[in-house]
Amino acid sequence: MGAAVAVLDKARSVTVLCHVQPDADTIGSGLALAQVLHRRGVPVRVSFAEPAELPVSMRSLPGTEFLVPASEVPREVDVLVAVDCGSAGRLGALRDRLDGARTSLVLDHHRSNTRFGMVNVIDETAESTAGLVARVLDAWGESIDRGVAHCLYAGLVTDTGSFKWARPGSHALAERLLATGIDGAAITRTLMDTHPFGWLPMLSRVLATAQLDRDAAAGAGLVHVFVRRTDMDGVRSEEVESVVDIVRTTAEAQVTAVFKESRIESGQWTVSLRSHDGADGTPGVDVARVAMALGGGGHRYAAGYSATGTPDELIVALKSELGR
């Protein structure tokens, strides 16, 4: 944590970059840092490359006033901080801002992190980047007030799946954050349990296409679905991202894949992979290895990558890598 503190303590201006298609961990971590930096009198801005607007579910997070469009991120800055980004590619069109930073700092918890910053503080044992940021703030001697706690709790509760994947220390951090007076139930409901009606017919269409291959992944089994551009009409990115959490409940497969077509360009896909341990306790498939082989990265049980091709080509490539 000392390396991160040394960079932040001397910063004269800071740009915090979150990953593309941001989730609450990257946004929550970024806005928490921004609030503390602003409190210290340091000019700060937060941004992400795409989509053009912050997902609706995250707009109630404190600190959104520090968000700026990607087009307003300066080419040069004293310190650039990338939060929850496993590689420079996860910054999308803003990856070129790394070149104009006097110092770049990466704060992340992905095992597949490529260490693309000048200073890299990576802890793959952390359940979330928000948890890592909390430890940085402690090492820095900066207090976690209610606004900061709200943002950190958002990252913590979503990246642990409402604490289904909590690690040692996760509940202690949650208790500490809740003690500031934040409403954990309301935060969780807004981020994870609130969807527009259009989500239901979208789910109906997408889940009807689900396919199960019990022999894939050396017998661990694979269940997969495709979310096509036409399925996304009138549906927010949050609803599309939520599909994997439903498909992954399939008992007959240890590996889940959700292929999401680009809203802009045909034949471009982002792929979410999930895995879980077998009923007999055998370790789940390491989907981080699979994702890295296909150009992405992530955690052992949750990873992703981008791909180009037809659905048949994508399935063949994935099954081939799962069989290695």
Side-chain angles (χ1 to χ4, degrees), residues 283-300:
V285 174
D286 184 353
V287 291
R289 180 201 65 77
V290 174
M292 289 176 69
L294 295 170
H299 306 287
R300 180 182 182 90

Side-chain angles (χ1 to χ4, degrees), residues 115-183:
R115 272 72 175 174
F116 60 95
M118 298 177 190
V119 178
N120 301 285
V121 179
I122 317 298
D123 184 359
E124 64 185 62
T125 68
E127 76 292 291
S128 62
T129 297
L132 179 61
V133 169
R135 287 161 49 203
V136 169
L137 295 180
D138 287 344
W140 200 6
E142 289 292 338
S143 62
I144 295 177
D145 58 23
R146 187 169 179 171
V148 173
H150 186 140
C151 291
L152 295 179
Y153 191 84
L156 176 65
V157 73
T158 53
D159 253 36
T160 59
S162 291
F163 302 98
K164 289 194 293 287
W165 311 298
R167 298 187 181 183
S170 298
H171 288 94
L173 175 59
E175 181 178 4
R176 178 184 172 193
L177 298 176
L178 290 168
T180 65
I182 60 173
D183 188 338

Side-chain angles (χ1 to χ4, degrees), residues 33-311:
L33 272 178
Q35 290 176 75
V36 173
L37 288 162
H38 177 72
R39 191 168 71 198
R40 291 174 58 89
V42 179
V44 58
R45 60 182 61 79
V46 182
S47 191
F48 51 89
E50 57 182 85
E53 297 183 344
L54 184 68
V56 174
S57 64
M58 301 177 216
R59 293 180 187 174
S60 60
L61 293 178
T64 54
E65 65 270 21
F66 300 111
L67 283 168
V68 301
S71 59
E72 295 182 15
V73 176
R75 296 282 173 179
E76 296 183 357
V77 68
D78 184 37
V79 173
L80 182 147
V81 183
V83 287
D84 200 44
C85 296
S87 66
R90 291 288 283 155
L91 297 173
L94 289 174
R95 66 179 300 170
D96 62 357
R97 300 307 197 271
L98 289 165
D99 297 332
R102 186 182 64 83
T103 304
S104 57
L105 168 65
V106 175
L107 300 176
D108 188 34
H109 70 129
H110 293 93
R111 188 185 68 187
S112 59
N113 193 285
T114 61
R115 272 72 175 174
F116 60 95
M118 298 177 190
V119 178
N120 301 285
V121 179
I122 317 298
D123 184 359
E124 64 185 62
T125 68
E127 76 292 291
S128 62
T129 297
L132 179 61
V133 169
R135 287 161 49 203
V136 169
L137 295 180
D138 287 344
W140 200 6
E142 289 292 338
S143 62
I144 295 177
D145 58 23
R146 187 169 179 171
V148 173
H150 186 140
C151 291
L152 295 179
Y153 191 84
L156 176 65
V157 73
T158 53
D159 253 36
T160 59
S162 291
F163 302 98
K164 289 194 293 287
W165 311 298
R167 298 187 181 183
S170 298
H171 288 94
L173 175 59
E175 181 178 4
R176 178 184 172 193
L177 298 176
L178 290 168
T180 65
I182 60 173
D183 188 338
I187 293 170
T188 303
R189 185 169 59 251
T190 299
L191 290 169
M192 306 180 75
D193 294 326
T194 303
H195 299 284
F197 179 79
W199 181 61
L200 297 177
M202 184 273 286
L203 279 180
S204 177
R205 293 191 301 271
V206 170
L207 296 181
T209 69
Q211 295 188 35
L212 172 67
D213 184 341
R214 298 173 184 266
D215 297 323
L222 167 69
V223 60
H224 65 82
V225 299
F226 283 83
V227 185
R228 299 176 185 274
R229 190 185 312 169
T230 53
D231 296 320
M232 303 178 192
D233 291 342
V235 177
R236 309 174 307 187
S237 60
E238 295 102 304
E239 278 63 63
V240 176
E241 295 303 319
S242 72
V243 171
V244 71
D245 291 318
I246 297 172
V247 181
R248 71 184 302 168
T249 61
T250 302
E252 295 87 347
Q254 286 182 245
V255 181
T256 300
V258 175
F259 298 85
K260 297 158 289 184
E261 188 175 18
S262 168
R263 294 178 188 260
I264 301 171
E265 190 172 354
S266 179
Q268 299 291 326
W269 306 79
T270 57
V271 188
S272 294
L273 299 178
R274 298 292 185 269
S275 176
H276 61 79
D277 293 341
D280 59 356
T282 57
V285 174
D286 184 353
V287 291
R289 180 201 65 77
V290 174
M292 289 176 69
L294 295 170
H299 306 287
R300 180 182 182 90
Y301 296 110
Y305 61 98
S306 298
T308 302
T310 66

